[in-house]
Amino acid sequence: MHRFFDRIRLLRGGVFAVSLSLTITGTLGLTSPAFALSELQQVPGQNTEDKVSEPPADDGTATETVPDEGARRLQLPMPDPLIRKDAAEQEATEPETGKAVTEPETPVEVIYDIDKAPQPVRRMRELIVEAAASGDIERLRPLLGKGATQTQVSVADGDEDPVITLKGLSGDPDGIEILAILLDVLATGFVKVDAGTPNEMYVWPYFTAKSLDNLSPPEKVELLRIVTAGDFADMQEFGSYNFYRVGIAPDGQWKFFVAGD
């Protein structure tokens, strides 16, 4: 009798275990369906019908990877492929661009050795220096010539006596100041201009042929022995030397002694 009840208990226990197993398996099958790997990675709340964004088309930009939280990617523009001209090339732009081309100044040969001038030129300069140093302006008269060969002493054409004209240009009635200016001008270096032409001439001072903006310190000292600092500033604004100058032709004719440009 006891064996009979023991057997019944064993049967019930086996049935209960089987039933419990089936119940657990059924429950898990209803509440925990299988997920694909892609579905497991889906962010909660994301619409599963949204298409995955395609990578941007290659538009010539470089992508730089920045190692910062989630390896975010920054889009940086590529360098400008155009080759830009440097400042020197831009200064030499062709005329059709409308930009002026800066030309370097032509070198000027400044002569200090009077022996490099022709003998007639040397002789006339010597005579002018002797007359001016005497303090008597009348001693210039035979050197100034007459008629077609008369020395130009004024920018305005006229038949006035050249000695009288020079006295009128001087700051004193005797013409002493103009003689002093004449000596100072002839004491500087000189230049040869218009070489090989009918207008070839030896001109004092050499500042007439140089840019005042490019004068060296010693050259500025030479210039300020002739003019004042205020005169120099005015000349720079004017654009060139415009004080007195002397011109002697290769044949020794004294061509001019004038102020102005």
Side-chain angles (χ1 to χ4, degrees):
M1 187 69 175
H2 290 291
R3 293 179 178 176
F4 176 76
F5 284 111
D6 290 336
R7 185 177 297 176
I8 290 175
R9 283 195 294 270
L10 291 173
L11 289 174
R12 286 179 177 177
V15 171
F16 178 78
V18 171
S19 176
L20 178 62
S21 175
L22 291 175
T23 302
I24 293 173
T25 303
T27 302
L28 293 175
L30 291 174
T31 60
S32 302
F35 288 93
L37 181 61
S38 60
E39 292 175 325
L40 289 175
Q41 295 175 346
Q42 180 177 335
V43 179
Q46 178 181 357
N47 189 350
T48 57
E49 295 181 357
D50 292 343
K51 295 183 179 180
V52 178
S53 59
E54 293 295 330
D58 186 7
D59 58 357
T61 59
T63 303
E64 178 182 348
T65 303
V66 180
D68 180 27
E69 294 185 10
R72 293 177 297 176
R73 305 171 76 82
L74 299 178
Q75 299 294 328
L76 300 178
M78 292 293 287
D80 190 348
L82 298 178
I83 299 176
R84 302 185 184 278
K85 297 180 180 179
D86 57 30
E89 288 178 313
Q90 291 178 358
E91 285 297 327
T93 305
E94 292 80 2
E96 55 264 29
T97 63
K99 185 176 181 179
V101 177
T102 303
E103 295 292 340
E105 181 184 7
T106 303
V108 176
E109 182 185 3
V110 179
I111 308 171
Y112 286 95
D113 186 359
I114 189 60
D115 290 335
K116 292 184 177 181
Q119 195 279 331
V121 174
R122 299 199 305 268
R123 178 57 179 165
M124 176 55 76
R125 176 184 175 277
E126 182 181 0
L127 293 173
I128 296 172
V129 169
E130 289 177 355
S134 71
D136 183 2
I137 197 170
E138 283 293 335
R139 291 187 59 176
L140 290 180
R141 187 178 296 278
L143 306 177
L144 293 170
K146 294 181 180 180
T149 62
Q150 181 173 301
T151 303
Q152 180 184 357
V153 293
S154 173
V155 292
D157 295 332
D159 298 329
E160 187 177 4
D161 183 287
V163 173
I164 294 176
T165 300
L166 289 175
K167 281 186 177 182
L169 295 172
S170 185
D172 64 287
D174 297 323
I176 301 298
E177 181 188 46
I178 204 70
L179 294 177
I181 291 173
L182 184 55
L183 283 174
D184 286 341
V185 168
L186 289 174
T188 68
F190 60 99
V191 291
K192 182 180 180 180
V193 301
D194 297 327
T197 71
N199 296 323
E200 182 176 318
M201 205 173 308
Y202 294 83
V203 179
W204 286 260
Y206 64 87
F207 306 111
T208 59
K210 285 184 67 74
S211 169
L212 298 183
D213 293 332
N214 297 328
L215 295 181
S216 65
E219 289 173 335
K220 291 179 181 179
V221 171
E222 284 189 273
L223 178 56
L224 291 179
R225 291 177 62 185
I226 304 173
V227 301
T228 66
D231 292 333
F232 180 34
D234 291 341
M235 288 179 189
Q236 287 182 303
E237 184 176 353
F238 179 73
S240 63
Y241 175 87
N242 59 6
F243 196 54
Y244 283 96
R245 67 198 67 197
V246 172
I248 302 175
D251 62 1
Q253 181 184 349
W254 186 6
K255 300 292 289 186
F256 58 78
F257 175 48
V258 294
D261 184 35

